[in-house]
Every structure is written in structure tokens, then in C-alpha cells.
Amino acid sequence: MRANRLGAALAVVLTATLASCGSSEPAQSTEAAQSPTAAAKGPVKLTYWTWAPNMDKIAAVWNQAHPDIQVTVSKQAGGDDAAAKFLTAAKAGNPPDLVQAEYQHLPSFVAADAVADLKAETASVKGEFAQGLWSLVTLGTEGVYGIPQDSGPMMLFYRKDLFDKYGLAVPKTWQEYADAARTVHKKDPKAYLGTFSSKDPGAFTGLAQQAGAQWWSISGESWKVNIADEATKKVADYWGGLVKEGVIDDMPFFTPEWNKALNDGKLLTWPSAVWAPGVLSSNAPKAKGKWAAAPLPQWNAGENFSGFWGGSSTAVSAKTPNKAAAAQFATWMNTDPAALDLLVKEAAIYPAATKAQSALGQAPDYFSNQPDFWQQAAAVSAVARGFTFGPNVGVTYNAFKDNFDKAVQNKTSFSDAIQAMQDATVADMRKSGFQIAS
């Protein structure tokens, strides 16, 4: 996932802030994080690795109210490099006490025994998060390996003015989306309802999640790998069919040609995540006020599911000598109303906690024509399906780009590209010593 780009996009989106939830200064916790003897030796000192902006300001609020637990923020670059750096530090025995962990990277941290199981410490806050989000930090097990911090529930973003021009209704099913794609391209051969990007595996993964895909699961000491499941093949063949038919474009997202198509009104939709308004405002400024958001089309009429593209958690290092104190800070940061208010205002994140999502007020400026934007986003987040990432997502995502690039170029089977992803993932896991269940 393009963490830095997506983070910057969300920073643009979150000009709205949480409704007032009380003082921005947290109340002193009644939980004793230290014994009197430990307190006499000085405060517990924690280090937190994160790439989110202004987290030092949030830590300062905590530190003022908790003199016995002091948190120092160390700003990181984010993305794959940050994950690799943390794993290297954990292996060397000098990791930070806390780390911001993208959901897709968390399983590799668990596989390396680099993060602690927080099941006991988080039992009281599980209900603060939607079930689909919570599953991203459990890996489908009894353990809890992080506390959800931000998320990227997927929605359908569309040009309302052009839908009106072409006489289109907002598609409620993917069949209706395909029909609308044919209508648009027939009326204007230079226009497309959407595009398939072979460069963005995170987007495809979210769409597969919506369809019910479960690429990885844990069975005892073994991993099950089922990337080439029926749900994923269905999604792949759907988009492959539209690309081959020529009614959906195949230009990648975030490219100059994609930006131009958005600006020129030649691309009418983008199935994306809640951070999309930030991208659109930067890449298609001429269309401000012309876009709207709706739930993703469904595979079956009457269903109501979504998936995630992006998001991260706060994990605690397995080797920290101060697990209880670290978990206390992580819990406060991601569930306390005042802390959530700070996360939105200072770090510009879309919060994972349900109550914080519901409290977001003014719509993004780019979507000022849709005052209920955040309410729609919260409703979509609540129905995003759970998913377990595996320990070698990077290999899987590289296989996606390699094989879908070829499939797009050669107009060959998209489901064959999925099988290639499955084969590459399993081969790499076996090579790395993972047990693979049949």
C-alpha cells in the first residue's frame, strides 16, 4: 500500500473535526501502571515509532497527565521500509515499545514474535470497534496483536453531474455497474465509467474482501493460503471481462493520464477508500462539488458489504519490559474521546473507533455538496468484512502487479493471474519455513 500518499490524502480530507467530547486533556488513569517501588525509581519511559503527523503533540498531552508513564515519539518514514526497520530492530533486540503497524504488515510481526498478545489488556475495549476492523488485529485467532487506530473503508465515488448527463442511476449491484459502463462508453467512446489498476493490489484486495474472500487463515501451527478462492476469482473475472470488452479502462491509479481523465470528466467513478476526497481534491481540483459518495455496488441485490483499503493499528513490542504501560497508552490513544479528537485534528486520520467515526461533523470541503459524507462513511465502515492478511503480503502484492500487468497487456485471464499469486505466495512461505496446511 502506498502509505505516504494515502496518509497525505487523508490529511487533506479531515478538515472536519470531531464534535466536542470534553476536555482535550486526558484524565489521570486510576490504573496503577507501576508499583510504588518502581515509581520511586522514576517514570516508565516508552518509545513509539509512528509515521502519522503530529503524534508528538498527542503524546505530550498524555505525558502531562501521566507523569509516571512518559512517551517519546520517533517519526518514521512509513510503508514497507518502516515495517522492515521494525522487524530488524526486533530481531536485534532493541525495538521500540510501541509501533504503528499497518494491518497488512501485522501478520509478519506476529510471525516473527515481534509483537505482544494484548488479549487481556484489550478485553474491555473490543466493543469500541466494528467486528470487521477488530478481525484485522486478531488474525482470526484468540490473540489480539494491536489496537485499531485508523481504517480505510471502501465506497463508490462518482461524478454526480455526469451521471445525470448520461441518465445513470447509482449502481446498487456490480451487474448494474457493468451495464452503466456499457452505456457510458457507447454514448461517448472516449469516456469510461471506471478503470482497473494493475498497480494497486490494495484496492483489489479490498474489493475481494467485499466479495467474501479469505486469503489466509491460521490453523494451529500452520497457515492456510486460499488466495485463489471462488470469491477472488469472481472479482478478477468480472473486471477482466470488462477490460477485455473495452468498456472499462486499464490505466493505473495515481498517474498523469488518470489525473487528466478525472479532470476532463472522462472517468466517472472510482471504487476507493474514505481518504479518496483528499486525492481527488489534489488531482482533480476542477471537479470540486461534482463528486458524490455511495456504498460499493453489491454482488447480490439486498446485500450490504464493503472492504478495507488501508489502515493501521498500534502494536506493543513483545520485548518491551513495560507491556502494561505501553498497552495503557495505546488504549487511551485509540479509544479515549479526548485522544480520538486529537488524532483527527492533529494526525488527520480516519479513526477506527466507532464512536469517533460517528462524531465526525463537517464534510470534506471537496464534498461540501454531500453534508452526510461522514455518516455514510461510518455506515460503510460498520459493514466492511473481516480479513486476515498473511506473513508475506509483499510477495503477494508484487505477484499481483507482475501478473496483472501481463494480463492487462495481453488481454489474458485475470483468474489465471490470481492463481499465479497463490502459487508465488505458497512457494515463498514454504521457502521461509512456514507450515502450510492443505
Side-chain angles (χ1 to χ4, degrees), residues 361-398:
Q362 182 181 347
D365 186 52
Y366 193 82
F367 278 76
S368 58
N369 57 307
Q370 190 168 0
D372 68 342
F373 178 90
W374 292 120
Q375 288 70 38
Q376 285 222 33
V380 166
S381 181
V383 297
R385 277 178 149 157
F387 190 77
T388 300
F389 285 100
N392 62 337
V393 168
V395 170
T396 306
Y397 278 11
N398 284 334

PDB file of all heavy atoms in Angstrom, residues 361-398:
ATOM      1  N   GLY A 361     -17.998  15.642  11.974  1.00  0.00           N
ATOM      2  CA  GLY A 361     -19.047  16.590  11.627  1.00  0.00           C
ATOM      3  C   GLY A 361     -19.024  17.051  10.184  1.00  0.00           C
ATOM      4  O   GLY A 361     -19.515  16.375   9.289  1.00  0.00           O
ATOM      5  N   GLN A 362     -18.436  18.211   9.932  1.00  0.00           N
ATOM      6  CA  GLN A 362     -18.477  18.834   8.624  1.00  0.00           C
ATOM      7  C   GLN A 362     -17.831  17.963   7.549  1.00  0.00           C
ATOM      8  O   GLN A 362     -16.759  17.402   7.730  1.00  0.00           O
ATOM      9  CB  GLN A 362     -17.760  20.182   8.676  1.00  0.00           C
ATOM     10  CG  GLN A 362     -17.778  20.969   7.383  1.00  0.00           C
ATOM     11  CD  GLN A 362     -17.034  22.287   7.511  1.00  0.00           C
ATOM     12  OE1 GLN A 362     -16.715  22.718   8.616  1.00  0.00           O
ATOM     13  NE2 GLN A 362     -16.753  22.924   6.388  1.00  0.00           N
ATOM     14  N   ALA A 363     -18.492  17.847   6.413  1.00  0.00           N
ATOM     15  CA  ALA A 363     -17.988  17.038   5.307  1.00  0.00           C
ATOM     16  C   ALA A 363     -16.684  17.622   4.761  1.00  0.00           C
ATOM     17  O   ALA A 363     -16.412  18.817   4.928  1.00  0.00           O
ATOM     18  CB  ALA A 363     -19.030  16.970   4.193  1.00  0.00           C
ATOM     19  N   PRO A 364     -15.860  16.799   4.098  1.00  0.00           N
ATOM     20  CA  PRO A 364     -14.669  17.343   3.437  1.00  0.00           C
ATOM     21  C   PRO A 364     -15.064  18.457   2.473  1.00  0.00           C
ATOM     22  O   PRO A 364     -16.111  18.393   1.828  1.00  0.00           O
ATOM     23  CB  PRO A 364     -14.108  16.131   2.681  1.00  0.00           C
ATOM     24  CG  PRO A 364     -14.662  14.943   3.375  1.00  0.00           C
ATOM     25  CD  PRO A 364     -16.000  15.342   3.898  1.00  0.00           C
ATOM     26  N   ASP A 365     -14.216  19.447   2.362  1.00  0.00           N
ATOM     27  CA  ASP A 365     -14.534  20.611   1.531  1.00  0.00           C
ATOM     28  C   ASP A 365     -14.836  20.205   0.091  1.00  0.00           C
ATOM     29  O   ASP A 365     -15.734  20.762  -0.544  1.00  0.00           O
ATOM     30  CB  ASP A 365     -13.356  21.596   1.567  1.00  0.00           C
ATOM     31  CG  ASP A 365     -13.661  22.902   0.852  1.00  0.00           C
ATOM     32  OD1 ASP A 365     -14.710  23.509   1.161  1.00  0.00           O
ATOM     33  OD2 ASP A 365     -12.857  23.315   0.000  1.00  0.00           O
ATOM     34  N   TYR A 366     -14.121  19.231  -0.422  1.00  0.00           N
ATOM     35  CA  TYR A 366     -14.326  18.780  -1.802  1.00  0.00           C
ATOM     36  C   TYR A 366     -15.716  18.173  -1.982  1.00  0.00           C
ATOM     37  O   TYR A 366     -16.260  18.151  -3.087  1.00  0.00           O
ATOM     38  CB  TYR A 366     -13.254  17.757  -2.149  1.00  0.00           C
ATOM     39  CG  TYR A 366     -13.129  17.432  -3.619  1.00  0.00           C
ATOM     40  CD1 TYR A 366     -12.401  18.258  -4.477  1.00  0.00           C
ATOM     41  CD2 TYR A 366     -13.710  16.287  -4.156  1.00  0.00           C
ATOM     42  CE1 TYR A 366     -12.258  17.955  -5.828  1.00  0.00           C
ATOM     43  CE2 TYR A 366     -13.581  15.977  -5.498  1.00  0.00           C
ATOM     44  CZ  TYR A 366     -12.856  16.822  -6.333  1.00  0.00           C
ATOM     45  OH  TYR A 366     -12.723  16.509  -7.669  1.00  0.00           O
ATOM     46  N   PHE A 367     -16.287  17.656  -0.874  1.00  0.00           N
ATOM     47  CA  PHE A 367     -17.612  17.037  -0.891  1.00  0.00           C
ATOM     48  C   PHE A 367     -18.621  17.882  -0.118  1.00  0.00           C
ATOM     49  O   PHE A 367     -19.521  17.346   0.523  1.00  0.00           O
ATOM     50  CB  PHE A 367     -17.539  15.625  -0.300  1.00  0.00           C
ATOM     51  CG  PHE A 367     -17.061  14.591  -1.283  1.00  0.00           C
ATOM     52  CD1 PHE A 367     -15.726  14.508  -1.625  1.00  0.00           C
ATOM     53  CD2 PHE A 367     -17.937  13.705  -1.868  1.00  0.00           C
ATOM     54  CE1 PHE A 367     -15.265  13.573  -2.528  1.00  0.00           C
ATOM     55  CE2 PHE A 367     -17.500  12.751  -2.782  1.00  0.00           C
ATOM     56  CZ  PHE A 367     -16.159  12.685  -3.109  1.00  0.00           C
ATOM     57  N   SER A 368     -18.467  19.184  -0.176  1.00  0.00           N
ATOM     58  CA  SER A 368     -19.375  20.072   0.560  1.00  0.00           C
ATOM     59  C   SER A 368     -20.816  19.938   0.085  1.00  0.00           C
ATOM     60  O   SER A 368     -21.747  20.307   0.803  1.00  0.00           O
ATOM     61  CB  SER A 368     -18.917  21.529   0.422  1.00  0.00           C
ATOM     62  OG  SER A 368     -18.851  21.906  -0.947  1.00  0.00           O
ATOM     63  N   ASN A 369     -20.999  19.388  -1.103  1.00  0.00           N
ATOM     64  CA  ASN A 369     -22.344  19.149  -1.630  1.00  0.00           C
ATOM     65  C   ASN A 369     -23.007  17.931  -1.000  1.00  0.00           C
ATOM     66  O   ASN A 369     -24.185  17.664  -1.260  1.00  0.00           O
ATOM     67  CB  ASN A 369     -22.282  18.952  -3.151  1.00  0.00           C
ATOM     68  CG  ASN A 369     -21.343  17.801  -3.525  1.00  0.00           C
ATOM     69  OD1 ASN A 369     -20.190  17.783  -3.111  1.00  0.00           O
ATOM     70  ND2 ASN A 369     -21.821  16.852  -4.318  1.00  0.00           N
ATOM     71  N   GLN A 370     -22.257  17.174  -0.186  1.00  0.00           N
ATOM     72  CA  GLN A 370     -22.786  15.970   0.456  1.00  0.00           C
ATOM     73  C   GLN A 370     -22.551  16.071   1.962  1.00  0.00           C
ATOM     74  O   GLN A 370     -21.607  15.512   2.498  1.00  0.00           O
ATOM     75  CB  GLN A 370     -22.127  14.712  -0.118  1.00  0.00           C
ATOM     76  CG  GLN A 370     -22.790  13.425   0.323  1.00  0.00           C
ATOM     77  CD  GLN A 370     -22.298  12.222  -0.483  1.00  0.00           C
ATOM     78  OE1 GLN A 370     -21.467  12.350  -1.371  1.00  0.00           O
ATOM     79  NE2 GLN A 370     -22.819  11.050  -0.169  1.00  0.00           N
ATOM     80  N   PRO A 371     -23.421  16.797   2.663  1.00  0.00           N
ATOM     81  CA  PRO A 371     -23.186  17.057   4.088  1.00  0.00           C
ATOM     82  C   PRO A 371     -23.170  15.807   4.961  1.00  0.00           C
ATOM     83  O   PRO A 371     -22.627  15.839   6.067  1.00  0.00           O
ATOM     84  CB  PRO A 371     -24.340  17.990   4.476  1.00  0.00           C
ATOM     85  CG  PRO A 371     -25.369  17.819   3.408  1.00  0.00           C
ATOM     86  CD  PRO A 371     -24.627  17.479   2.157  1.00  0.00           C
ATOM     87  N   ASP A 372     -23.753  14.704   4.484  1.00  0.00           N
ATOM     88  CA  ASP A 372     -23.771  13.478   5.291  1.00  0.00           C
ATOM     89  C   ASP A 372     -22.611  12.553   4.940  1.00  0.00           C
ATOM     90  O   ASP A 372     -22.663  11.352   5.207  1.00  0.00           O
ATOM     91  CB  ASP A 372     -25.093  12.735   5.103  1.00  0.00           C
ATOM     92  CG  ASP A 372     -25.261  12.159   3.693  1.00  0.00           C
ATOM     93  OD1 ASP A 372     -24.540  12.619   2.777  1.00  0.00           O
ATOM     94  OD2 ASP A 372     -26.110  11.260   3.514  1.00  0.00           O
ATOM     95  N   PHE A 373     -21.535  13.105   4.375  1.00  0.00           N
ATOM     96  CA  PHE A 373     -20.413  12.274   3.917  1.00  0.00           C
ATOM     97  C   PHE A 373     -19.893  11.360   5.026  1.00  0.00           C
ATOM     98  O   PHE A 373     -19.737  10.151   4.843  1.00  0.00           O
ATOM     99  CB  PHE A 373     -19.274  13.157   3.391  1.00  0.00           C
ATOM    100  CG  PHE A 373     -18.071  12.376   2.940  1.00  0.00           C
ATOM    101  CD1 PHE A 373     -17.965  11.935   1.639  1.00  0.00           C
ATOM    102  CD2 PHE A 373     -17.036  12.059   3.828  1.00  0.00           C
ATOM    103  CE1 PHE A 373     -16.861  11.195   1.213  1.00  0.00           C
ATOM    104  CE2 PHE A 373     -15.933  11.316   3.413  1.00  0.00           C
ATOM    105  CZ  PHE A 373     -15.850  10.881   2.101  1.00  0.00           C
ATOM    106  N   TRP A 374     -19.608  11.929   6.194  1.00  0.00           N
ATOM    107  CA  TRP A 374     -19.010  11.128   7.268  1.00  0.00           C
ATOM    108  C   TRP A 374     -20.004  10.115   7.832  1.00  0.00           C
ATOM    109  O   TRP A 374     -19.607   9.026   8.271  1.00  0.00           O
ATOM    110  CB  TRP A 374     -18.482  12.027   8.379  1.00  0.00           C
ATOM    111  CG  TRP A 374     -17.308  12.854   7.968  1.00  0.00           C
ATOM    112  CD1 TRP A 374     -17.212  14.219   7.959  1.00  0.00           C
ATOM    113  CD2 TRP A 374     -16.040  12.385   7.478  1.00  0.00           C
ATOM    114  NE1 TRP A 374     -15.979  14.623   7.498  1.00  0.00           N
ATOM    115  CE2 TRP A 374     -15.242  13.523   7.196  1.00  0.00           C
ATOM    116  CE3 TRP A 374     -15.508  11.125   7.248  1.00  0.00           C
ATOM    117  CZ2 TRP A 374     -13.940  13.416   6.709  1.00  0.00           C
ATOM    118  CZ3 TRP A 374     -14.209  11.026   6.756  1.00  0.00           C
ATOM    119  CH2 TRP A 374     -13.450  12.160   6.495  1.00  0.00           C
ATOM    120  N   GLN A 375     -21.289  10.441   7.814  1.00  0.00           N
ATOM    121  CA  GLN A 375     -22.292   9.489   8.278  1.00  0.00           C
ATOM    122  C   GLN A 375     -22.339   8.279   7.332  1.00  0.00           C
ATOM    123  O   GLN A 375     -22.452   7.137   7.778  1.00  0.00           O
ATOM    124  CB  GLN A 375     -23.666  10.164   8.369  1.00  0.00           C
ATOM    125  CG  GLN A 375     -23.802  11.149   9.535  1.00  0.00           C
ATOM    126  CD  GLN A 375     -22.967  12.414   9.348  1.00  0.00           C
ATOM    127  OE1 GLN A 375     -22.845  12.930   8.236  1.00  0.00           O
ATOM    128  NE2 GLN A 375     -22.389  12.910  10.436  1.00  0.00           N
ATOM    129  N   GLN A 376     -22.237   8.561   6.028  1.00  0.00           N
ATOM    130  CA  GLN A 376     -22.194   7.461   5.067  1.00  0.00           C
ATOM    131  C   GLN A 376     -20.942   6.612   5.266  1.00  0.00           C
ATOM    132  O   GLN A 376     -20.981   5.382   5.214  1.00  0.00           O
ATOM    133  CB  GLN A 376     -22.226   8.016   3.631  1.00  0.00           C
ATOM    134  CG  GLN A 376     -23.583   8.519   3.198  1.00  0.00           C
ATOM    135  CD  GLN A 376     -23.907   8.108   1.761  1.00  0.00           C
ATOM    136  OE1 GLN A 376     -23.501   7.047   1.296  1.00  0.00           O
ATOM    137  NE2 GLN A 376     -24.658   8.950   1.078  1.00  0.00           N
ATOM    138  N   ALA A 377     -19.820   7.278   5.493  1.00  0.00           N
ATOM    139  CA  ALA A 377     -18.570   6.554   5.695  1.00  0.00           C
ATOM    140  C   ALA A 377     -18.650   5.651   6.923  1.00  0.00           C
ATOM    141  O   ALA A 377     -18.173   4.504   6.902  1.00  0.00           O
ATOM    142  CB  ALA A 377     -17.411   7.539   5.833  1.00  0.00           C
ATOM    143  N   ALA A 378     -19.252   6.150   8.003  1.00  0.00           N
ATOM    144  CA  ALA A 378     -19.386   5.347   9.221  1.00  0.00           C
ATOM    145  C   ALA A 378     -20.274   4.130   8.979  1.00  0.00           C
ATOM    146  O   ALA A 378     -19.987   3.027   9.471  1.00  0.00           O
ATOM    147  CB  ALA A 378     -19.958   6.204  10.348  1.00  0.00           C
ATOM    148  N   ALA A 379     -21.345   4.317   8.211  1.00  0.00           N
ATOM    149  CA  ALA A 379     -22.234   3.195   7.910  1.00  0.00           C
ATOM    150  C   ALA A 379     -21.511   2.135   7.083  1.00  0.00           C
ATOM    151  O   ALA A 379     -21.683   0.928   7.302  1.00  0.00           O
ATOM    152  CB  ALA A 379     -23.470   3.692   7.168  1.00  0.00           C
ATOM    153  N   VAL A 380     -20.682   2.567   6.148  1.00  0.00           N
ATOM    154  CA  VAL A 380     -19.922   1.640   5.322  1.00  0.00           C
ATOM    155  C   VAL A 380     -18.871   0.917   6.160  1.00  0.00           C
ATOM    156  O   VAL A 380     -18.663  -0.294   6.020  1.00  0.00           O
ATOM    157  CB  VAL A 380     -19.257   2.395   4.149  1.00  0.00           C
ATOM    158  CG1 VAL A 380     -18.203   1.534   3.477  1.00  0.00           C
ATOM    159  CG2 VAL A 380     -20.307   2.835   3.139  1.00  0.00           C
ATOM    160  N   SER A 381     -18.200   1.638   7.040  1.00  0.00           N
ATOM    161  CA  SER A 381     -17.184   1.034   7.895  1.00  0.00           C
ATOM    162  C   SER A 381     -17.764  -0.082   8.752  1.00  0.00           C
ATOM    163  O   SER A 381     -17.111  -1.103   8.996  1.00  0.00           O
ATOM    164  CB  SER A 381     -16.551   2.108   8.791  1.00  0.00           C
ATOM    165  OG  SER A 381     -15.543   1.558   9.604  1.00  0.00           O
ATOM    166  N   ALA A 382     -19.000   0.099   9.188  1.00  0.00           N
ATOM    167  CA  ALA A 382     -19.629  -0.888  10.066  1.00  0.00           C
ATOM    168  C   ALA A 382     -19.890  -2.213   9.363  1.00  0.00           C
ATOM    169  O   ALA A 382     -20.027  -3.250  10.022  1.00  0.00           O
ATOM    170  CB  ALA A 382     -20.941  -0.325  10.608  1.00  0.00           C
ATOM    171  N   VAL A 383     -19.954  -2.208   8.019  1.00  0.00           N
ATOM    172  CA  VAL A 383     -20.274  -3.441   7.292  1.00  0.00           C
ATOM    173  C   VAL A 383     -19.089  -3.948   6.464  1.00  0.00           C
ATOM    174  O   VAL A 383     -19.248  -4.826   5.623  1.00  0.00           O
ATOM    175  CB  VAL A 383     -21.510  -3.244   6.385  1.00  0.00           C
ATOM    176  CG1 VAL A 383     -22.736  -2.931   7.227  1.00  0.00           C
ATOM    177  CG2 VAL A 383     -21.288  -2.152   5.342  1.00  0.00           C
ATOM    178  N   ALA A 384     -17.896  -3.389   6.692  1.00  0.00           N
ATOM    179  CA  ALA A 384     -16.710  -3.893   5.995  1.00  0.00           C
ATOM    180  C   ALA A 384     -16.361  -5.271   6.550  1.00  0.00           C
ATOM    181  O   ALA A 384     -16.302  -5.467   7.766  1.00  0.00           O
ATOM    182  CB  ALA A 384     -15.543  -2.933   6.163  1.00  0.00           C
ATOM    183  N   ARG A 385     -16.141  -6.206   5.662  1.00  0.00           N
ATOM    184  CA  ARG A 385     -15.917  -7.588   6.071  1.00  0.00           C
ATOM    185  C   ARG A 385     -14.529  -7.785   6.663  1.00  0.00           C
ATOM    186  O   ARG A 385     -13.570  -7.137   6.271  1.00  0.00           O
ATOM    187  CB  ARG A 385     -16.081  -8.512   4.862  1.00  0.00           C
ATOM    188  CG  ARG A 385     -17.540  -8.867   4.584  1.00  0.00           C
ATOM    189  CD  ARG A 385     -17.672  -9.737   3.369  1.00  0.00           C
ATOM    190  NE  ARG A 385     -18.817 -10.643   3.508  1.00  0.00           N
ATOM    191  CZ  ARG A 385     -19.445 -11.207   2.483  1.00  0.00           C
ATOM    192  NH1 ARG A 385     -19.044 -10.960   1.250  1.00  0.00           N
ATOM    193  NH2 ARG A 385     -20.460 -12.028   2.691  1.00  0.00           N
ATOM    194  N   GLY A 386     -14.449  -8.720   7.585  1.00  0.00           N
ATOM    195  CA  GLY A 386     -13.179  -9.053   8.203  1.00  0.00           C
ATOM    196  C   GLY A 386     -12.260  -9.771   7.229  1.00  0.00           C
ATOM    197  O   GLY A 386     -12.699 -10.326   6.215  1.00  0.00           O
ATOM    198  N   PHE A 387     -10.976  -9.767   7.552  1.00  0.00           N
ATOM    199  CA  PHE A 387      -9.983 -10.327   6.642  1.00  0.00           C
ATOM    200  C   PHE A 387      -8.722 -10.615   7.439  1.00  0.00           C
ATOM    201  O   PHE A 387      -8.395  -9.881   8.375  1.00  0.00           O
ATOM    202  CB  PHE A 387      -9.685  -9.311   5.526  1.00  0.00           C
ATOM    203  CG  PHE A 387      -8.865  -9.839   4.383  1.00  0.00           C
ATOM    204  CD1 PHE A 387      -9.445 -10.637   3.416  1.00  0.00           C
ATOM    205  CD2 PHE A 387      -7.524  -9.513   4.265  1.00  0.00           C
ATOM    206  CE1 PHE A 387      -8.703 -11.101   2.327  1.00  0.00           C
ATOM    207  CE2 PHE A 387      -6.767  -9.970   3.190  1.00  0.00           C
ATOM    208  CZ  PHE A 387      -7.361 -10.762   2.215  1.00  0.00           C
ATOM    209  N   THR A 388      -8.032 -11.681   7.071  1.00  0.00           N
ATOM    210  CA  THR A 388      -6.742 -11.992   7.680  1.00  0.00           C
ATOM    211  C   THR A 388      -5.652 -11.876   6.619  1.00  0.00           C
ATOM    212  O   THR A 388      -5.711 -12.559   5.598  1.00  0.00           O
ATOM    213  CB  THR A 388      -6.728 -13.416   8.266  1.00  0.00           C
ATOM    214  OG1 THR A 388      -7.738 -13.520   9.274  1.00  0.00           O
ATOM    215  CG2 THR A 388      -5.373 -13.733   8.878  1.00  0.00           C
ATOM    216  N   PHE A 389      -4.709 -10.980   6.863  1.00  0.00           N
ATOM    217  CA  PHE A 389      -3.550 -10.903   5.994  1.00  0.00           C
ATOM    218  C   PHE A 389      -2.544 -11.985   6.390  1.00  0.00           C
ATOM    219  O   PHE A 389      -2.600 -12.522   7.491  1.00  0.00           O
ATOM    220  CB  PHE A 389      -2.896  -9.520   6.096  1.00  0.00           C
ATOM    221  CG  PHE A 389      -3.661  -8.435   5.393  1.00  0.00           C
ATOM    222  CD1 PHE A 389      -4.482  -7.574   6.104  1.00  0.00           C
ATOM    223  CD2 PHE A 389      -3.547  -8.279   4.026  1.00  0.00           C
ATOM    224  CE1 PHE A 389      -5.191  -6.565   5.459  1.00  0.00           C
ATOM    225  CE2 PHE A 389      -4.249  -7.278   3.367  1.00  0.00           C
ATOM    226  CZ  PHE A 389      -5.078  -6.426   4.083  1.00  0.00           C
ATOM    227  N   GLY A 390      -1.627 -12.272   5.482  1.00  0.00           N
ATOM    228  CA  GLY A 390      -0.620 -13.295   5.741  1.00  0.00           C
ATOM    229  C   GLY A 390       0.729 -12.704   6.069  1.00  0.00           C
ATOM    230  O   GLY A 390       0.917 -11.478   6.056  1.00  0.00           O
ATOM    231  N   PRO A 391       1.720 -13.564   6.325  1.00  0.00           N
ATOM    232  CA  PRO A 391       3.040 -13.077   6.758  1.00  0.00           C
ATOM    233  C   PRO A 391       3.935 -12.588   5.627  1.00  0.00           C
ATOM    234  O   PRO A 391       5.022 -12.069   5.895  1.00  0.00           O
ATOM    235  CB  PRO A 391       3.647 -14.317   7.426  1.00  0.00           C
ATOM    236  CG  PRO A 391       3.041 -15.471   6.684  1.00  0.00           C
ATOM    237  CD  PRO A 391       1.637 -15.034   6.356  1.00  0.00           C
ATOM    238  N   ASN A 392       3.500 -12.743   4.368  1.00  0.00           N
ATOM    239  CA  ASN A 392       4.341 -12.316   3.237  1.00  0.00           C
ATOM    240  C   ASN A 392       3.507 -11.546   2.214  1.00  0.00           C
ATOM    241  O   ASN A 392       3.565 -11.828   1.002  1.00  0.00           O
ATOM    242  CB  ASN A 392       5.044 -13.514   2.600  1.00  0.00           C
ATOM    243  CG  ASN A 392       4.077 -14.541   2.018  1.00  0.00           C
ATOM    244  OD1 ASN A 392       2.915 -14.615   2.415  1.00  0.00           O
ATOM    245  ND2 ASN A 392       4.562 -15.340   1.075  1.00  0.00           N
ATOM    246  N   VAL A 393       2.771 -10.582   2.695  1.00  0.00           N
ATOM    247  CA  VAL A 393       1.900  -9.785   1.821  1.00  0.00           C
ATOM    248  C   VAL A 393       2.698  -9.112   0.708  1.00  0.00           C
ATOM    249  O   VAL A 393       2.209  -8.976  -0.425  1.00  0.00           O
ATOM    250  CB  VAL A 393       1.130  -8.733   2.649  1.00  0.00           C
ATOM    251  CG1 VAL A 393       0.445  -7.717   1.756  1.00  0.00           C
ATOM    252  CG2 VAL A 393       0.110  -9.410   3.545  1.00  0.00           C
ATOM    253  N   GLY A 394       3.914  -8.681   1.008  1.00  0.00           N
ATOM    254  CA  GLY A 394       4.727  -8.026  -0.009  1.00  0.00           C
ATOM    255  C   GLY A 394       4.943  -8.911  -1.228  1.00  0.00           C
ATOM    256  O   GLY A 394       4.883  -8.443  -2.375  1.00  0.00           O
ATOM    257  N   VAL A 395       5.182 -10.192  -0.999  1.00  0.00           N
ATOM    258  CA  VAL A 395       5.353 -11.133  -2.104  1.00  0.00           C
ATOM    259  C   VAL A 395       4.061 -11.259  -2.902  1.00  0.00           C
ATOM    260  O   VAL A 395       4.051 -11.241  -4.139  1.00  0.00           O
ATOM    261  CB  VAL A 395       5.796 -12.513  -1.574  1.00  0.00           C
ATOM    262  CG1 VAL A 395       5.743 -13.576  -2.670  1.00  0.00           C
ATOM    263  CG2 VAL A 395       7.202 -12.426  -0.995  1.00  0.00           C
ATOM    264  N   THR A 396       2.952 -11.361  -2.196  1.00  0.00           N
ATOM    265  CA  THR A 396       1.649 -11.491  -2.849  1.00  0.00           C
ATOM    266  C   THR A 396       1.336 -10.260  -3.684  1.00  0.00           C
ATOM    267  O   THR A 396       0.863 -10.371  -4.826  1.00  0.00           O
ATOM    268  CB  THR A 396       0.554 -11.699  -1.786  1.00  0.00           C
ATOM    269  OG1 THR A 396       0.910 -12.801  -0.952  1.00  0.00           O
ATOM    270  CG2 THR A 396      -0.793 -11.963  -2.432  1.00  0.00           C
ATOM    271  N   TYR A 397       1.591  -9.095  -3.118  1.00  0.00           N
ATOM    272  CA  TYR A 397       1.286  -7.856  -3.831  1.00  0.00           C
ATOM    273  C   TYR A 397       2.201  -7.668  -5.049  1.00  0.00           C
ATOM    274  O   TYR A 397       1.760  -7.175  -6.092  1.00  0.00           O
ATOM    275  CB  TYR A 397       1.398  -6.666  -2.881  1.00  0.00           C
ATOM    276  CG  TYR A 397       0.159  -6.449  -2.031  1.00  0.00           C
ATOM    277  CD1 TYR A 397      -0.852  -7.397  -1.960  1.00  0.00           C
ATOM    278  CD2 TYR A 397      -0.003  -5.272  -1.287  1.00  0.00           C
ATOM    279  CE1 TYR A 397      -1.981  -7.190  -1.186  1.00  0.00           C
ATOM    280  CE2 TYR A 397      -1.144  -5.057  -0.522  1.00  0.00           C
ATOM    281  CZ  TYR A 397      -2.129  -6.013  -0.462  1.00  0.00           C
ATOM    282  OH  TYR A 397      -3.249  -5.799   0.297  1.00  0.00           O
ATOM    283  N   ASN A 398       3.461  -8.049  -4.930  1.00  0.00           N
ATOM    284  CA  ASN A 398       4.352  -7.982  -6.099  1.00  0.00           C
ATOM    285  C   ASN A 398       3.895  -8.944  -7.190  1.00  0.00           C
ATOM    286  O   ASN A 398       3.954  -8.620  -8.393  1.00  0.00           O
ATOM    287  CB  ASN A 398       5.789  -8.290  -5.702  1.00  0.00           C
ATOM    288  CG  ASN A 398       6.454  -7.129  -4.977  1.00  0.00           C
ATOM    289  OD1 ASN A 398       6.080  -5.974  -5.169  1.00  0.00           O
ATOM    290  ND2 ASN A 398       7.434  -7.428  -4.138  1.00  0.00           N
TER     291      ASN A 398
END
